[in-house]
Amino acid sequence: MGSIGIALRNAPGGDAGELRRETDVALNRAKTEGRGRCAAFDSEASAALNLLTRQTDLRRAIERDEFELHYQPIVDLVSTSIVGFEALLR
């Protein structure tokens, strides 16, 4: 018996790739719940998909050396002296 992943598109717009990714997320969830299960894409799955997308984007950016390191001084406003630095990754 097979597993089923369901994703619904209530509003017009969006693309087929996005709908397919949502369906894949639901299908993977159905498979992890056991054989012959059915799962629908929902807000919990949406949060998981967003996290996965961000992680993938970050990995690709690291592989492509797309980040730059910048240092920003932290200034004591009373003495106007530099008391530290923040490291910013952009």
Coordinates of all heavy atoms in Angstrom, one line a residue:
M1 N 0.8 -1.2 0.0 CA 0.0 0.0 0.0 C 0.9 1.2 0.0 O 1.9 1.3 0.7 CB -0.9 0.0 1.2 CG -1.8 1.2 1.3 SD -3.0 1.1 2.6 CE -4.3 0.1 1.9
G2 N 0.5 2.3 -0.8 CA 1.3 3.5 -0.9 C 0.9 4.6 0.1 O -0.1 4.5 0.7
S3 N 1.8 5.5 0.2 CA 1.5 6.7 1.0 C 1.1 7.8 0.1 O 1.5 7.9 -1.0 CB 2.8 7.1 1.8 OG 3.1 6.0 2.7
I4 N 0.4 8.8 0.7 CA -0.1 9.9 -0.1 C 0.2 11.2 0.6 O 0.0 11.4 1.8 CB -1.7 9.8 -0.3 CG1 -2.0 8.5 -1.0 CG2 -2.2 11.1 -1.0 CD1 -3.5 8.3 -1.1
G5 N 0.7 12.2 -0.2 CA 0.9 13.5 0.3 C 0.0 14.5 -0.4 O -0.1 14.5 -1.6
I6 N -0.7 15.4 0.4 CA -1.6 16.3 -0.2 C -1.3 17.7 0.1 O -0.9 18.1 1.2 CB -3.0 16.0 0.4 CG1 -3.5 14.6 0.1 CG2 -4.1 17.0 -0.2 CD1 -4.7 14.1 0.9
A7 N -1.3 18.6 -0.9 CA -1.2 20.0 -0.8 C -2.3 20.7 -1.5 O -2.6 20.3 -2.7 CB 0.2 20.4 -1.3
L8 N -2.9 21.7 -0.9 CA -4.0 22.4 -1.6 C -3.6 23.8 -1.9 O -2.9 24.4 -1.1 CB -5.3 22.4 -0.6 CG -5.8 21.0 -0.2 CD1 -6.9 21.1 0.8 CD2 -6.3 20.2 -1.4
R9 N -4.1 24.3 -3.0 CA -3.9 25.7 -3.3 C -5.3 26.4 -3.4 O -6.1 26.2 -4.3 CB -3.2 25.7 -4.7 CG -2.8 27.1 -5.2 CD -1.7 27.7 -4.4 NE -0.6 26.8 -4.3 CZ 0.5 27.0 -3.6 NH1 0.6 28.1 -2.9 NH2 1.4 26.1 -3.5
N10 N -5.6 27.2 -2.4 CA -6.9 27.8 -2.3 C -6.9 29.1 -3.1 O -8.0 29.5 -3.6 CB -7.2 28.2 -0.8 CG -7.4 26.9 0.0 OD1 -7.8 25.9 -0.5 ND2 -7.1 27.0 1.3
A11 N -5.8 29.8 -3.2 CA -5.8 31.1 -3.9 C -5.1 30.9 -5.2 O -4.2 30.1 -5.4 CB -5.1 32.2 -3.0
P12 N -5.5 31.7 -6.2 CA -4.9 31.7 -7.5 C -3.4 32.2 -7.4 O -3.1 33.0 -6.5 CB -5.7 32.6 -8.4 CG -6.4 33.5 -7.5 CD -6.6 32.7 -6.2
G13 N -2.6 31.8 -8.3 CA -1.2 32.2 -8.2 C -0.3 31.1 -7.7 O -0.7 30.0 -7.5
G14 N 0.9 31.5 -7.4 CA 1.9 30.5 -7.0 C 2.3 29.7 -8.2 O 1.8 29.9 -9.3
D15 N 3.3 28.9 -8.0 CA 3.8 28.2 -9.2 C 3.7 26.7 -8.9 O 3.6 26.2 -7.8 CB 5.2 28.6 -9.5 CG 6.2 28.4 -8.4 OD1 6.1 27.5 -7.6 OD2 7.2 29.1 -8.4
A16 N 3.9 25.9 -10.0 CA 3.8 24.4 -9.8 C 4.9 23.9 -9.0 O 4.7 22.9 -8.3 CB 3.8 23.8 -11.2
G17 N 6.1 24.5 -9.1 CA 7.2 24.1 -8.3 C 7.0 24.1 -6.8 O 7.3 23.2 -6.0
E18 N 6.4 25.2 -6.4 CA 6.0 25.4 -5.0 C 5.0 24.4 -4.5 O 5.1 23.8 -3.4 CB 5.5 26.8 -4.7 CG 5.2 27.1 -3.3 CD 4.6 28.5 -3.1 OE1 4.8 29.4 -4.0 OE2 4.1 28.8 -2.0
L19 N 4.0 24.2 -5.3 CA 3.0 23.2 -5.0 C 3.6 21.8 -4.9 O 3.3 21.0 -4.0 CB 1.9 23.2 -6.0 CG 0.7 22.3 -5.8 CD1 0.0 22.6 -4.5 CD2 -0.3 22.3 -6.9
R20 N 4.5 21.5 -5.8 CA 5.2 20.2 -5.8 C 6.0 20.0 -4.5 O 6.0 18.9 -3.9 CB 6.0 20.0 -7.0 CG 6.7 18.6 -7.1 CD 7.5 18.5 -8.4 NE 8.3 17.3 -8.3 CZ 7.9 16.1 -8.7 NH1 6.8 15.9 -9.3 NH2 8.8 15.1 -8.6
R21 N 6.7 21.1 -4.1 CA 7.6 21.0 -2.9 C 6.7 20.7 -1.7 O 7.0 19.9 -0.8 CB 8.4 22.3 -2.7 CG 9.6 22.4 -3.6 CD 10.5 23.5 -3.3 NE 9.8 24.8 -3.4 CZ 9.7 25.5 -4.6 NH1 10.3 25.0 -5.7 NH2 9.1 26.6 -4.7
E22 N 5.5 21.4 -1.6 CA 4.6 21.2 -0.5 C 4.1 19.8 -0.5 O 3.9 19.2 0.6 CB 3.5 22.2 -0.6 CG 3.9 23.7 -0.4 CD 2.8 24.7 -0.6 OE1 1.7 24.3 -1.0 OE2 3.1 25.9 -0.4
T23 N 3.8 19.3 -1.7 CA 3.3 17.9 -1.8 C 4.4 16.9 -1.3 O 4.1 15.9 -0.6 CB 2.8 17.6 -3.2 OG1 1.8 18.5 -3.6 CG2 2.2 16.2 -3.3
D24 N 5.6 17.2 -1.7 CA 6.7 16.3 -1.3 C 6.9 16.3 0.2 O 7.2 15.3 0.8 CB 8.0 16.7 -2.0 CG 8.1 16.4 -3.5 OD1 7.3 15.5 -3.9 OD2 8.9 16.9 -4.2
V25 N 6.8 17.5 0.8 CA 6.9 17.6 2.3 C 5.8 16.8 2.9 O 6.0 16.0 3.9 CB 6.8 19.1 2.7 CG1 6.7 19.1 4.3 CG2 8.1 19.8 2.3
A26 N 4.6 16.9 2.4 CA 3.5 16.1 3.0 C 3.7 14.6 2.8 O 3.4 13.8 3.7 CB 2.1 16.5 2.4
L27 N 4.2 14.2 1.6 CA 4.4 12.8 1.3 C 5.5 12.3 2.2 O 5.4 11.1 2.8 CB 4.8 12.6 -0.1 CG 5.2 11.2 -0.6 CD1 4.0 10.3 -0.3 CD2 5.6 11.2 -2.0
N28 N 6.6 13.0 2.5 CA 7.6 12.6 3.4 C 7.1 12.4 4.8 O 7.5 11.4 5.5 CB 8.8 13.5 3.3 CG 9.6 13.4 2.1 OD1 9.6 12.4 1.4 ND2 10.3 14.5 1.7
R29 N 6.2 13.3 5.2 CA 5.6 13.1 6.5 C 4.8 11.9 6.6 O 4.8 11.1 7.6 CB 4.8 14.4 6.9 CG 4.4 14.2 8.4 CD 3.2 15.0 8.8 NE 3.4 16.4 8.9 CZ 2.3 17.2 8.8 NH1 1.1 16.8 8.6 NH2 2.5 18.5 9.0
A30 N 4.0 11.6 5.6 CA 3.2 10.4 5.5 C 4.0 9.1 5.6 O 3.7 8.2 6.3 CB 2.3 10.4 4.3
K31 N 5.1 9.1 4.9 CA 6.0 8.0 4.9 C 6.7 7.8 6.3 O 6.9 6.6 6.7 CB 7.1 8.1 3.9 CG 6.6 8.0 2.4 CD 7.7 8.2 1.4 CE 7.2 7.9 0.0 NZ 8.3 8.1 -1.0
T32 N 7.0 8.8 7.0 CA 7.6 8.7 8.3 C 6.6 8.2 9.3 O 7.0 7.7 10.4 CB 8.3 10.0 8.8 OG1 7.3 11.0 8.9 CG2 9.4 10.4 7.9
E33 N 5.3 8.5 9.1 CA 4.3 8.0 10.0 C 4.0 6.5 9.9 O 3.4 5.9 10.8 CB 3.0 8.8 9.8 CG 3.2 10.3 10.3 CD 1.9 11.1 10.0 OE1 0.9 10.6 9.4 OE2 1.9 12.3 10.4
G34 N 4.4 6.0 8.8 CA 4.1 4.5 8.6 C 3.6 4.2 7.2 O 3.2 5.1 6.5
R35 N 3.6 3.0 6.9 CA 3.2 2.5 5.6 C 1.7 2.7 5.3 O 0.9 2.5 6.2 CB 3.6 1.0 5.5 CG 3.4 0.4 4.1 CD 3.8 -1.0 4.2 NE 3.3 -1.7 3.0 CZ 4.1 -2.1 2.0 NH1 5.4 -1.9 2.1 NH2 3.6 -2.7 1.0
G36 N 1.4 3.2 4.1 CA 0.0 3.3 3.7 C -0.7 4.5 4.4 O -1.9 4.5 4.7
R37 N 0.0 5.6 4.7 CA -0.5 6.7 5.4 C -0.8 7.8 4.5 O -0.3 7.9 3.4 CB 0.4 7.2 6.5 CG 0.8 6.1 7.6 CD -0.3 5.8 8.5 NE -0.6 7.0 9.3 CZ -1.3 7.0 10.4 NH1 -1.7 5.8 10.9 NH2 -1.5 8.1 11.0
C38 N -1.6 8.8 4.9 CA -1.9 10.0 4.2 C -1.6 11.2 5.0 O -1.9 11.2 6.2 CB -3.4 10.0 3.8 SG -3.9 11.4 2.9
A39 N -1.0 12.2 4.5 CA -0.7 13.5 5.2 C -0.9 14.7 4.3 O -0.7 14.6 3.1 CB 0.8 13.5 5.8
A40 N -1.4 15.7 5.0 CA -1.6 17.0 4.2 C -0.6 18.0 4.7 O -0.2 18.1 5.8 CB -3.0 17.5 4.5
F41 N -0.3 18.9 3.7 CA 0.6 20.0 4.0 C -0.1 21.0 4.8 O -1.2 21.4 4.5 CB 1.1 20.6 2.7 CG 2.1 21.7 2.8 CD1 3.5 21.4 3.0 CD2 1.8 23.0 2.9 CE1 4.4 22.3 3.1 CE2 2.7 24.0 3.0 CZ 4.1 23.7 3.1
D42 N 0.5 21.5 5.9 CA -0.2 22.5 6.8 C 0.8 23.5 7.3 O 2.0 23.5 6.9 CB -0.9 21.8 8.0 CG 0.0 20.9 8.8 OD1 1.3 21.0 8.7 OD2 -0.4 20.2 9.7
S43 N 0.4 24.3 8.2 CA 1.3 25.4 8.7 C 2.6 24.8 9.4 O 3.6 25.4 9.3 CB 0.6 26.3 9.7 OG 0.1 25.6 10.8
E44 N 2.4 23.7 10.1 CA 3.6 23.0 10.7 C 4.6 22.6 9.6 O 5.8 22.8 9.7 CB 3.2 21.8 11.6 CG 4.3 21.1 12.3 CD 3.8 20.0 13.1 OE1 2.9 20.1 13.9 OE2 4.4 18.9 12.9
A45 N 4.0 22.0 8.6 CA 4.9 21.5 7.5 C 5.5 22.8 6.8 O 6.6 22.7 6.3 CB 4.1 20.7 6.5
S46 N 4.7 23.8 6.7 CA 5.1 25.1 6.1 C 6.4 25.6 6.8 O 7.3 26.0 6.2 CB 4.0 26.1 6.0 OG 4.5 27.3 5.5
A47 N 6.3 25.6 8.1 CA 7.4 26.1 8.9 C 8.7 25.2 8.7 O 9.8 25.7 8.6 CB 7.1 26.1 10.4
A48 N 8.4 23.9 8.6 CA 9.6 23.0 8.4 C 10.1 23.2 7.0 O 11.4 23.2 6.8 CB 9.1 21.5 8.5
L49 N 9.3 23.5 6.0 CA 9.8 23.7 4.6 C 10.5 25.1 4.6 O 11.6 25.1 4.0 CB 8.6 23.8 3.7 CG 8.9 24.1 2.2 CD1 9.9 23.1 1.6 CD2 7.7 24.2 1.4
N50 N 10.1 26.1 5.3 CA 10.8 27.4 5.3 C 12.2 27.2 6.0 O 13.1 27.8 5.5 CB 10.0 28.4 6.1 CG 8.8 28.9 5.3 OD1 8.7 28.8 4.1 ND2 7.8 29.4 6.0
L51 N 12.2 26.4 7.1 CA 13.5 26.2 7.7 C 14.5 25.4 6.8 O 15.6 25.8 6.6 CB 13.3 25.4 9.0 CG 14.6 25.0 9.8 CD1 15.3 26.2 10.2 CD2 14.2 24.1 11.0
L52 N 13.9 24.4 6.1 CA 14.8 23.6 5.2 C 15.3 24.5 4.0 O 16.4 24.4 3.6 CB 14.0 22.5 4.6 CG 14.7 21.6 3.6 CD1 15.9 20.9 4.2 CD2 13.7 20.5 3.1
T53 N 14.4 25.4 3.5 CA 14.8 26.3 2.5 C 15.9 27.2 2.9 O 16.9 27.5 2.2 CB 13.6 27.1 2.0 OG1 12.6 26.2 1.5 CG2 13.9 28.0 0.8
R54 N 15.7 27.8 4.1 CA 16.8 28.7 4.6 C 18.1 28.0 4.8 O 19.2 28.5 4.5 CB 16.3 29.3 6.0 CG 15.4 30.5 5.8 CD 15.2 31.2 7.1 NE 14.8 30.4 8.1 CZ 13.5 30.3 8.6 NH1 12.6 31.1 8.0 NH2 13.2 29.5 9.5
Q55 N 18.0 26.8 5.3 CA 19.3 26.0 5.5 C 20.0 25.7 4.2 O 21.2 25.8 4.1 CB 19.0 24.7 6.3 CG 18.6 24.9 7.7 CD 18.2 23.6 8.4 OE1 17.8 22.6 7.7 NE2 18.2 23.5 9.7
T56 N 19.2 25.3 3.2 CA 19.7 25.1 1.9 C 20.3 26.3 1.3 O 21.4 26.3 0.7 CB 18.6 24.5 0.9 OG1 18.1 23.3 1.5 CG2 19.2 24.2 -0.4
D57 N 19.6 27.5 1.4 CA 20.2 28.7 0.9 C 21.5 29.1 1.6 O 22.4 29.6 0.9 CB 19.1 29.8 1.1 CG 17.9 29.7 0.1 OD1 18.0 28.9 -0.8 OD2 16.9 30.4 0.4
L58 N 21.5 28.9 2.9 CA 22.8 29.2 3.6 C 23.9 28.3 3.2 O 25.1 28.8 3.0 CB 22.5 29.1 5.1 CG 21.8 30.3 5.8 CD1 21.4 29.9 7.2 CD2 22.5 31.6 5.7
R59 N 23.7 27.0 3.0 CA 24.7 26.1 2.6 C 25.2 26.5 1.2 O 26.5 26.5 1.0 CB 24.2 24.7 2.6 CG 24.1 24.0 3.9 CD 23.8 22.6 3.8 NE 23.5 22.0 5.1 CZ 22.2 21.8 5.5 NH1 21.2 22.0 4.7 NH2 22.0 21.3 6.7
R60 N 24.3 26.8 0.3 CA 24.8 27.3 -1.0 C 25.6 28.5 -1.0 O 26.6 28.7 -1.7 CB 23.6 27.4 -1.9 CG 22.9 26.1 -2.3 CD 21.8 26.3 -3.3 NE 21.2 25.1 -3.6 CZ 19.9 24.9 -3.9 NH1 19.1 26.0 -4.0 NH2 19.4 23.7 -4.2
A61 N 25.2 29.5 -0.2 CA 25.9 30.8 0.0 C 27.3 30.5 0.5 O 28.3 31.1 0.1 CB 25.1 31.7 0.9
I62 N 27.4 29.6 1.5 CA 28.8 29.3 2.0 C 29.6 28.6 0.9 O 30.8 29.0 0.8 CB 28.6 28.4 3.2 CG1 28.0 29.2 4.4 CG2 30.0 27.8 3.6 CD1 27.6 28.3 5.6
E63 N 29.0 27.7 0.2 CA 29.8 27.0 -0.9 C 30.2 28.0 -1.9 O 31.3 27.8 -2.5 CB 28.9 25.9 -1.5 CG 28.6 24.7 -0.6 CD 27.6 23.8 -1.2 OE1 27.0 24.1 -2.3 OE2 27.3 22.8 -0.6
R64 N 29.4 29.0 -2.2 CA 29.8 29.9 -3.3 C 30.6 31.1 -2.7 O 30.8 32.1 -3.5 CB 28.5 30.5 -3.9 CG 27.7 29.4 -4.6 CD 26.4 29.9 -5.1 NE 25.6 28.9 -5.8 CZ 24.3 29.0 -6.0 NH1 23.7 30.1 -5.7 NH2 23.7 28.0 -6.6
D65 N 30.9 31.1 -1.5 CA 31.7 32.1 -0.8 C 31.0 33.5 -1.0 O 31.6 34.5 -1.4 CB 33.1 32.2 -1.4 CG 34.1 32.9 -0.5 OD1 33.9 33.0 0.7 OD2 35.1 33.4 -1.0
E66 N 29.7 33.6 -0.7 CA 28.9 34.8 -0.9 C 28.8 35.7 0.3 O 28.2 36.7 0.3 CB 27.5 34.4 -1.4 CG 27.5 33.7 -2.7 CD 26.1 33.3 -3.2 OE1 25.2 33.2 -2.3 OE2 25.9 33.1 -4.4
F67 N 29.4 35.2 1.4 CA 29.4 36.0 2.6 C 30.6 36.9 2.8 O 31.7 36.5 2.4 CB 29.2 35.1 3.9 CG 27.9 34.5 4.0 CD1 27.7 33.1 3.8 CD2 26.8 35.2 4.4 CE1 26.5 32.5 4.0 CE2 25.6 34.7 4.5 CZ 25.4 33.3 4.3
E68 N 30.4 38.1 3.4 CA 31.5 39.0 3.7 C 31.4 39.3 5.2 O 30.3 39.5 5.8 CB 31.4 40.3 3.0 CG 31.6 40.2 1.5 CD 31.5 41.5 0.8 OE1 31.5 42.6 1.5 OE2 31.5 41.5 -0.4
L69 N 32.6 39.3 5.9 CA 32.6 39.6 7.3 C 32.9 41.0 7.5 O 33.9 41.6 6.9 CB 33.7 38.7 8.0 CG 33.9 38.8 9.5 CD1 32.6 38.4 10.2 CD2 35.1 38.0 9.9
H70 N 32.1 41.7 8.3 CA 32.3 43.1 8.6 C 32.4 43.2 10.1 O 31.7 42.5 10.9 CB 31.2 44.0 8.1 CG 31.1 43.9 6.6 ND1 31.7 44.8 5.8 CD2 30.4 43.1 5.8 CE1 31.5 44.6 4.5 NE2 30.7 43.5 4.5
Y71 N 33.2 44.2 10.6 CA 33.2 44.5 12.1 C 32.6 45.8 12.3 O 32.9 46.8 11.6 CB 34.7 44.4 12.6 CG 35.3 43.0 12.5 CD1 36.1 42.7 11.4 CD2 35.0 42.1 13.5 CE1 36.6 41.4 11.4 CE2 35.5 40.8 13.4 CZ 36.3 40.5 12.4 OH 36.8 39.2 12.3
Q72 N 31.8 45.9 13.3 CA 31.1 47.2 13.7 C 31.6 47.5 15.1 O 31.4 46.7 16.0 CB 29.6 47.0 13.6 CG 28.9 48.2 14.0 CD 27.4 48.1 13.7 OE1 27.0 47.6 12.6 NE2 26.6 48.4 14.7
P73 N 32.1 48.7 15.3 CA 32.6 49.1 16.6 C 31.4 49.3 17.6 O 30.3 49.8 17.2 CB 33.3 50.3 16.4 CG 32.8 50.9 15.1 CD 32.4 49.7 14.3
I74 N 31.6 49.0 18.8 CA 30.6 49.3 19.9 C 31.3 50.4 20.7 O 32.4 50.3 21.2 CB 30.4 48.1 20.8 CG1 29.8 46.9 20.0 CG2 29.5 48.5 21.9 CD1 29.7 45.6 20.8
V75 N 30.6 51.6 20.7 CA 31.1 52.8 21.3 C 30.4 53.1 22.6 O 29.2 53.1 22.6 CB 31.0 54.0 20.3 CG1 31.5 55.3 20.8 CG2 31.7 53.6 18.9
D76 N 31.2 53.4 23.6 CA 30.6 54.0 24.8 C 30.3 55.4 24.6 O 31.1 56.3 24.3 CB 31.7 53.9 25.9 CG 31.2 54.3 27.3 OD1 30.3 55.2 27.3 OD2 31.6 53.8 28.3
L77 N 29.0 55.7 24.7 CA 28.5 57.1 24.4 C 29.0 58.1 25.4 O 29.1 59.3 25.0 CB 27.0 57.1 24.3 CG 26.4 56.3 23.2 CD1 24.9 56.3 23.2 CD2 26.9 56.7 21.8
V78 N 29.3 57.7 26.6 CA 29.8 58.7 27.6 C 31.2 59.1 27.3 O 31.6 60.3 27.2 CB 29.6 58.2 29.0 CG1 30.2 59.1 30.0 CG2 28.2 57.9 29.3
S79 N 32.1 58.1 27.1 CA 33.5 58.4 26.9 C 33.9 58.5 25.4 O 35.0 58.8 25.1 CB 34.4 57.3 27.6 OG 34.2 56.1 26.9
T80 N 33.0 58.1 24.6 CA 33.1 58.0 23.1 C 34.3 57.1 22.7 O 34.9 57.3 21.7 CB 33.3 59.5 22.5 OG1 34.5 60.0 23.0 CG2 32.1 60.3 22.8
S81 N 34.6 56.2 23.6 CA 35.7 55.3 23.2 C 35.1 53.9 22.7 O 34.0 53.6 23.1 CB 36.6 55.0 24.4 OG 35.9 54.4 25.5
I82 N 35.9 53.2 21.9 CA 35.4 51.9 21.4 C 35.7 50.9 22.5 O 36.8 50.8 23.1 CB 36.2 51.6 20.2 CG1 35.9 52.6 19.0 CG2 35.9 50.1 19.7 CD1 36.7 52.4 17.8
V83 N 34.6 50.2 22.9 CA 34.7 49.2 23.9 C 34.6 47.8 23.4 O 34.7 46.8 24.2 CB 33.6 49.5 25.0 CG1 33.8 50.8 25.7 CG2 32.2 49.4 24.4
G84 N 34.3 47.6 22.2 CA 34.2 46.3 21.6 C 33.8 46.3 20.2 O 33.7 47.4 19.6
F85 N 33.6 45.2 19.6 CA 33.2 45.0 18.2 C 32.1 44.0 18.1 O 32.1 43.0 18.8 CB 34.4 44.6 17.3 CG 35.4 45.7 17.1 CD1 36.5 45.8 18.0 CD2 35.3 46.7 16.1 CE1 37.4 46.8 17.8 CE2 36.2 47.7 16.0 CZ 37.3 47.7 16.8
E86 N 31.3 44.2 17.1 CA 30.3 43.1 16.7 C 30.8 42.6 15.3 O 31.3 43.3 14.5 CB 28.9 43.7 16.4 CG 28.2 44.1 17.7 CD 26.8 44.6 17.3 OE1 26.6 45.3 16.3 OE2 25.9 44.4 18.1
A87 N 30.7 41.3 15.2 CA 31.0 40.7 13.9 C 29.7 40.5 13.1 O 28.8 39.9 13.6 CB 31.7 39.3 14.1
L88 N 29.7 41.0 11.9 CA 28.5 41.0 11.1 C 28.8 40.2 9.8 O 29.8 40.4 9.2 CB 28.0 42.4 10.7 CG 27.8 43.3 11.8 CD1 27.5 44.7 11.3 CD2 26.6 42.9 12.7
L89 N 28.0 39.2 9.6 CA 28.1 38.4 8.4 C 27.0 38.8 7.4 O 25.9 38.7 7.7 CB 28.0 36.9 8.7 CG 28.4 35.9 7.7 CD1 29.8 36.1 7.3 CD2 28.2 34.5 8.2
R90 N 27.5 39.3 6.2 CA 26.5 39.8 5.2 C 26.7 39.1 4.0 O 27.7 38.6 3.6 CB 26.7 41.3 5.0 CG 26.4 42.1 6.2 CD 26.6 43.5 5.9 NE 26.3 44.3 7.2 CZ 26.6 45.6 7.3 NH1 27.2 46.2 6.4 NH2 26.2 46.2 8.5

